[in-house]
Amino acid sequence: MNINNITSQISNMPKVGADQNKIVGETSSFKDVLFKFTEDANKTDYDDKISNLSVLLGDAENTHQAMIAAEKADLALRLTIQIRNKIIDAYTEVMRMQI
Amino acid sequence: MGFLNSMNISGSALTAQRLRMDVIAENIANANTTRTATGQPYRRRLVLFGERNAKLPFSDYLSTAQSAVGKGVRVTQIIEDESPMKIMYDPSHPDCDENGYVRMPNVDTVKEMIDMMSATRSYEANVTAINAFKNMAMKSFDIGK
Amino acid sequence: MLKNIFMHSGYLEKALDASWLRNEVIANNISNVDTPNFKSSRVEFESALKDAFENSGIKMKKTDKKHMDMQDVGAHDLKPSVVKKVNTAARMDGNNVDIETEQLDMVKNVIYYNLLIQKIGKEFGRIKTAINEGK
């Protein structure tokens, strides 16, 4: 009974950095997380292209936003590539397993 | 090029102060002109400054931050100084009247020089502003290096 | 995931936007130093950001080990505001631009902007290192 009290207390403590939008009890699959990520990564590339067009159309508001958009797109691409590599590594590792 | 707005603002001041300096120079050059093309002695001129509000595209009115910044300065008018001309007694002057008095331009050279210095200082302050902005913009290109 | 990665640099971005706007406002003040009845303006942002942090209960203590990353203080919609300076003395032509103050503020702002640029550059660099695993 004591152990149950403690674990229930621990699970009821507010989680630091927990996603506020998640309904308690709902779990998102790896596929959902992956898809959301590729959506976000795609958006950074899109934002960068929009930023490029706004610069050459004379619509840019300042210079740092243009540079930041480029950097974010670069980071998102690198992250995507790394994730892809890791997924492939995990896949080949699993395929290598002897049943 | 909206991101170069700061430079447009400072540039407008350079133009306005330069025009002011031109008018001052003309005053000084004509400080002794007793007969212009109209036959009258030269009358001092001065510039009036006003805030510049260029015609904004509609989208700028919607973006409140943009419309909150002014667009610099411009010379609204070049007017003549209505203060009285100086009267000098010089019967030998070709333009004197029957009593020997000459109407001289209402230009005080000392005052014009001080005005010129003020215009020069304002001009330089705006040049400094342009350089400061250039420094900011160039530095921002280092993101990602 | 991406939103969390870029949450911190987002604050630097907002400060950069405010600093950029401040440069425009100061340039406008300086350009109107001789305009009759002109009243100078300034940009307010940092105090509003500080209020947002204080209201959300975040303390800036670096020693707090529980905080791995800064929580979202809900400052997404915070925008810099341009405020007219009304309580500074005006000269005879109604103009209240103090050119020395403006020039000083401009220099300070340039340094501030450059510092933010360096910081955000380093932040992105660290993210890149983390992604590349130091390679």
Side-chain angles (χ1 to χ4, degrees), chain B residues 31-32 34 85-93 95-97 99-105:
Chain B
N32 291 314
T34 49
M85 310 296 260
K86 293 196 257 190
I87 312 287
M88 212 176 63
Y89 182 71
D90 186 5
S92 62
H93 198 283
D95 286 319
C96 68
D97 61 10
N99 297 323
Y101 287 103
V102 186
R103 287 169 73 230
M104 297 294 284

Side-chain angles (χ1 to χ4, degrees), chain C residues 91-135:
Chain C
R91 293 185 290 281
M92 276 201 0
D93 59 353
N95 182 304
N96 73 345
V97 175
D98 179 355
I99 191 80
E100 275 78 26
T101 304
E102 297 300 324
Q103 288 185 295
L104 212 62
D105 283 347
M106 180 159 266
V107 171
K108 286 194 236 172
N109 189 49
V110 168
I111 294 174
Y112 179 62
Y113 185 85
N114 286 352
L115 179 59
L116 289 171
I117 291 287
Q118 292 298 318
K119 293 296 270 179
I120 206 173
K122 290 236 180 284
E123 169 77 4
F124 285 145
R126 258 209 306 282
I127 295 173
K128 191 184 291 188
T129 304
I131 293 174
N132 290 344
E133 292 170 8
K135 286 193 267 282

Side-chain angles (χ1 to χ4, degrees), chain B residues 43-110:
Chain B
R43 197 169 264 285
R44 175 180 177 256
R45 288 211 192 87
L46 54 133
V47 294
L48 294 180
F49 284 151
E51 272 188 82
R52 190 165 80 134
N53 286 311
K55 275 225 270 285
L56 298 171
F58 185 61
S59 57
D60 278 8
Y61 283 108
L62 296 178
S63 138
T64 48
Q66 277 295 97
S67 58
V69 186
K71 299 277 180 196
V73 69
R74 65 185 183 96
V75 171
T76 51
Q77 280 185 76
I78 304 178
I79 60 172
E80 285 193 342
D81 187 347
E82 294 297 325
S83 55
M85 310 296 260
K86 293 196 257 190
I87 312 287
M88 212 176 63
Y89 182 71
D90 186 5
S92 62
H93 198 283
D95 286 319
C96 68
D97 61 10
E98 57 271 10
N99 297 323
Y101 287 103
V102 186
R103 287 169 73 230
M104 297 294 284
N106 55 349
V107 172
D108 178 354
T109 318
V110 172

Side-chain angles (χ1 to χ4, degrees), chain A:
Chain A
M1 278 79 68
N2 285 342
I3 294 176
N4 280 344
N5 275 344
I6 292 172
T7 51
S8 63
Q9 273 181 12
I10 290 175
S11 62
N12 283 337
M13 264 170 46
K15 295 179 179 53
V16 172
D19 192 343
Q20 307 289 351
N21 296 329
K22 275 242 219 72
I23 307 165
V24 174
E26 180 191 294
T27 54
S28 53
S29 68
F30 178 69
K31 174 179 129 186
D32 292 336
V33 172
L34 196 58
F35 271 31
K36 174 91 182 13
F37 169 75
T38 49
E39 233 177 59
D40 292 343
N42 231 15
K43 182 159 186 306
T44 62
D45 178 66
Y46 174 77
D47 287 342
D48 183 40
K49 293 196 162 54
I50 294 282
S51 166
N52 287 345
L53 290 177
S54 67
V55 167
L56 58 91
L57 291 174
D59 222 10
E61 276 192 24
N62 51 55
T63 55
H64 55 261
Q65 278 300 342
M67 301 300 295
I68 288 170
E71 189 65 13
K72 281 186 176 174
D74 179 61
L75 291 174
L77 180 62
R78 284 172 191 267
L79 189 54
T80 307
I81 290 172
Q82 283 284 21
I83 289 177
R84 182 210 66 171
N85 290 347
K86 295 276 181 279
I87 290 176
I88 291 180
D89 288 347
Y91 176 77
T92 47
E93 173 113 19
V94 165
M95 292 313 282
R96 252 204 306 257
M97 280 182 197
Q98 308 281 4
I99 299 175

Side-chain angles (χ1 to χ4, degrees), chain A residues 67 71, chain B residues 138 141-145, chain C residues 121 128:
Chain A
M67 301 300 295
E71 189 65 13
Chain B
M138 298 301 287
F141 301 150
D142 286 347
I143 291 180
K145 286 228 178 69
Chain C
K128 191 184 291 188

Side-chain angles (χ1 to χ4, degrees), chain C residues 6-55:
Chain C
F6 292 135
M7 188 195 299
H8 186 70
S9 59
Y11 295 123
L12 293 171
E13 276 184 58
K14 282 203 179 297
L16 280 169
D17 289 345
S19 179
W20 186 274
L21 181 63
R22 181 172 290 124
N23 169 268
E24 283 188 6
V25 167
I26 295 175
N28 193 51
N29 289 343
I30 292 178
S31 76
N32 277 294
V33 68
D34 294 316
T35 309
N37 295 317
F38 177 83
K39 300 289 185 271
S40 58
S41 301
R42 65 166 183 275
V43 168
E44 289 192 343
F45 177 73
E46 282 75 23
S47 49
L49 192 60
K50 188 165 178 216
D51 288 345
F53 272 101
E54 277 172 4
N55 290 340

